[in-house]
Amino acid sequence: MAFLGNNFKWFVGVVEDRHDPEKVGRLRVRCLGIHTSNKNALPTADLPWASVALPVTSSGISGIGQSATGIVEGSWVWGYFRDGDYLMQELVVVGTLPGRPSELGDPNKGFYDPNRRSADEDEADYDISVYPRNTAEPDTNRLAVNNPTLQHNTLIQRSQARITGIPTADFDAVGSNITASDTDTWSQPAISYNAVYPYNHVYESESGHIKEYDDSFTIDANGIRTNHYRIYERHASGTSTEMTNNGDRIDIITNDHYTLTSNNNKAYIQGNSDITIAGRHKIYINKDGQSNNHYDIQVGPNANVNIQVDNGNLNVVTKTGQFNFDVGADFNVNVGGNYNLTVLGNKVETIEGNHTQDTTGSVVIKGATIDLNP
């Protein structure tokens, strides 16, 4: 490679191929004023490969930093020839040139994306390139532009998928001695997107993965500034995480959620916590059988523990251990049906006060011996 010196020659062109067999991010570029648009005379496969210059924030060696695979077919690029105006075969792409496309691409011609929107020759999209996707609007991401008449499709999807009126536990109070939290519902927060150009910094991949770092703000007629700062990351499936301006975090998971922690897991909630589960819920404590790995529940003063089964049984089983109750006040039991008690050993009752039985039916007492006031 000769020193460029006064032979520096630059180019503007359109990418027609990014499938570099060497996988180093090279592109085939058709250059304006140098290459013909006639693909019969100069097929895409005969265009020279162009290297891609990475930013200084990427190392360009050993896979450190970002990959050189962000440019797609149909992208307008500019750069220079490393071999000057001698051969013009060693191209270096320095950057892309976004604009406002006035027409869709024609895959049959040069200077367009050669990829077709449809593989079916009978479809109208067969003769239309994949990129650009739209015309008469800037190549800037719609999430960065925030044109109400040209909304990004994910904003529409998010609004339609928003869940509201989620119920919380509804405990039926029984008697004057049982109280429970008021029944209420909650909803997924409203979409907080309110981007202002040019402060929303957006990355979107071809399949629809999105990242937004939004520094937007507005200033009203009185000069009062309102920030709309957000961070948003979304998978093409709709699974997403958003951090809003006031510090809220909203996680939406459209399928299963797995959390695997190799050590401790601690959570501190200074407000309320509500969990509504449409399916089952299991908790397995002390899986390894270690000592003192207890399951402890403590409720602070002036609050109750309420458990309600709407249509089923409430079962508590200890396989080898004891079942202990230590009640600091009254012990009230209300049985709607029969009360069956089976004791395989002895039964001892110690009552320091009075013992009253009020039975409307018959009373049967059986025993080997029956002692009354022995």
Side-chain angles (χ1 to χ4, degrees):
M1 180 179 67
F3 172 65
L4 292 178
N6 294 328
N7 294 320
F8 180 84
K9 187 175 183 64
W10 59 277
F11 68 85
V12 172
V14 177
V15 176
E16 294 189 8
D17 187 5
R18 54 176 159 153
H19 296 281
D20 179 9
E22 299 295 332
K23 296 180 174 59
V24 294
R26 295 181 302 171
L27 309 167
R28 281 194 171 111
V29 179
R30 192 177 296 268
C31 302
L32 292 174
I34 298 175
H35 299 140
T36 177
S37 62
N38 187 335
K39 295 178 74 172
N40 292 323
L42 180 58
T44 299
D46 291 341
L47 292 172
W49 286 106
S51 299
V52 176
L54 292 175
V56 295
T57 52
S58 191
S59 69
I61 190 170
S62 298
I64 308 300
Q66 71 187 67
S67 64
T69 55
I71 298 177
V72 301
E73 291 88 351
S75 295
W76 284 77
V77 297
W78 77 278
Y80 66 94
F81 295 97
R82 292 195 300 180
D83 52 358
D85 56 4
Y86 300 111
L87 298 175
M88 294 186 295
Q89 295 296 302
E90 296 184 12
L91 293 73
V92 176
V93 173
V94 176
T96 59
L97 297 171
R100 183 186 293 267
S102 60
E103 62 182 9
L104 297 176
D106 185 347
N108 303 303
K109 300 177 181 178
F111 298 107
Y112 293 102
D113 175 9
N115 298 302
R116 303 177 185 273
R117 296 193 180 187
S118 173
D120 188 349
E121 296 185 13
D122 296 329
E123 295 288 337
D125 285 351
Y126 179 76
D127 287 323
I128 300 178
S129 300
V130 173
Y131 297 107
R133 291 173 173 171
N134 306 293
T135 61
E137 65 173 288
D139 284 322
T140 306
N141 192 285
R142 287 184 175 184
L143 290 170
V145 175
N146 193 11
N147 183 345
T149 61
L150 294 172
Q151 281 193 325
H152 198 282
N153 65 310
T154 59
L155 287 176
I156 300 173
Q157 293 171 5
R158 290 171 64 190
S159 297
Q160 293 174 343
R162 181 170 174 255
I163 301 175
T164 60
I166 302 170
T168 60
D170 182 9
F171 188 86
D172 298 332
V174 180
S176 60
N177 61 315
I178 297 179
T179 58
S181 302
D182 292 335
T183 302
D184 58 5
T185 62
W186 64 280
S187 300
Q188 175 188 334
I191 308 303
S192 63
Y193 171 86
N194 192 15
V196 178
Y197 182 85
Y199 301 108
N200 190 18
H201 314 291
V202 181
Y203 170 82
E204 180 173 355
S205 72
E206 293 175 78
S207 66
H209 305 318
I210 293 173
K211 285 185 178 182
E212 293 181 68
Y213 289 84
D214 195 349
D215 299 327
S216 297
F217 63 91
T218 54
I219 300 177
D220 64 16
N222 297 320
I224 299 176
R225 171 173 170 147
T226 302
N227 295 329
H228 306 294
Y229 298 163
R230 298 175 306 115
I231 296 177
Y232 179 69
E233 186 168 7
R234 182 182 191 273
H235 185 273
S237 66
T239 293
S240 65
T241 296
E242 183 171 24
M243 287 167 270
T244 66
N245 184 66
N246 65 359
D248 289 347
R249 172 169 169 163
I250 304 164
D251 293 330
I252 298 175
I253 301 169
T254 59
N255 207 339
D256 298 336
H257 182 200
Y258 299 90
T259 300
L260 305 173
T261 305
S262 297
N263 208 329
N264 299 323
N265 181 23
K266 300 180 183 294
Y268 180 28
I269 301 173
Q270 292 182 296
N272 299 324
S273 176
D274 295 308
I275 299 177
T276 301
I277 301 173
R280 75 181 190 192
H281 184 54
K282 288 187 174 183
I283 299 177
Y284 187 7
I285 306 296
N286 198 24
K287 176 182 69 68
D288 296 332
Q290 302 297 319
S291 299
N292 297 320
N293 284 340
H294 307 302
Y295 181 28
D296 301 323
I297 299 176
Q298 177 180 347
V299 178
N302 306 315
N304 297 336
V305 175
N306 301 311
I307 301 173
Q308 174 178 308
V309 181
D310 290 338
N311 185 10
N313 300 326
L314 178 59
N315 304 308
V316 179
V317 177
T318 66
K319 292 185 176 180
T320 60
Q322 297 179 352
F323 190 2
N324 303 307
F325 277 100
D326 188 351
V327 181
D330 296 340
F331 188 0
N332 304 305
V333 180
N334 183 16
V335 180
N338 298 324
Y339 185 177
N340 303 305
L341 177 64
T342 300
V343 180
L344 299 181
N346 298 324
K347 179 184 178 183
V348 178
E349 289 182 324
T350 301
I351 301 173
E352 295 185 1
N354 298 325
H355 184 189
T356 301
Q357 285 185 323
D358 186 357
T359 306
T360 58
S362 60
V363 176
V364 178
I365 300 176
K366 295 181 179 181
T369 59
I370 298 176
D371 297 325
L372 298 176
N373 197 22

